[in-house]
Amino acid sequence: MSKDGKPLLAPLFDAATIDEFNAMVYRLRAAVEDAEPLSDLDWARALLLTEISWGSDLLGAGPEFETNIDDEKALPLLRSLQYKISNSHRRQLLIDHAGYPTPKT
């Protein structure tokens, strides 16, 4: 994940600070790696972070995203995750739990 994108992403994930955002990312990464159960909101966040990290050159790592497989194999894997995880309920959870900064006066 690009450190430059974190200020834009933190509010989307209801994180008040970059440190809070980083803690959430590390918690999700550990839970996925350890095959721990996740809430629907956490699954939605994990998928969105994966999509952004892998696909976005503006906010994520884009072409520099390091995997052990090439894009020809990674894209079908990402699509498979999207089919399994993405649904309207989880999308709404992301919307409902986003943090919207107070406008500066």
Side-chain angles (χ1 to χ4, degrees):
M1 170 93 30
S2 166
K3 73 176 189 171
D4 296 336
K6 290 180 182 181
L8 294 171
L9 294 174
L12 177 64
F13 291 90
D14 198 25
T17 66
I18 300 301
D19 288 340
E20 189 177 316
F21 176 79
N22 287 336
M24 187 252 335
V25 170
Y26 292 127
R27 178 182 62 79
L28 290 174
R29 175 185 278 171
V32 169
E33 287 175 353
D34 295 340
E36 295 174 4
L38 294 174
S39 69
D40 280 346
L41 177 58
D42 282 346
W43 275 118
R45 286 174 170 167
L47 178 60
L48 184 57
L49 284 166
T50 301
E51 292 169 340
I52 292 169
S53 295
W54 185 72
S56 176
D57 196 33
L58 294 174
L59 300 177
E64 290 82 35
F65 192 84
E66 293 183 26
T67 64
N68 293 331
I69 58 176
D70 61 23
D71 284 357
E72 290 175 6
K73 293 179 184 175
L75 182 57
L77 181 58
L78 177 61
R79 291 288 184 244
S80 175
L81 290 171
Q82 289 170 327
Y83 290 130
K84 292 175 184 174
I85 298 170
S86 183
N87 60 42
S88 60
H89 169 70
R90 289 181 172 149
R91 181 182 309 108
Q92 191 61 48
L93 285 172
L94 285 173
I95 293 167
D96 292 345
H97 289 86
Y100 299 97
T102 306
K104 296 178 179 162
T105 55

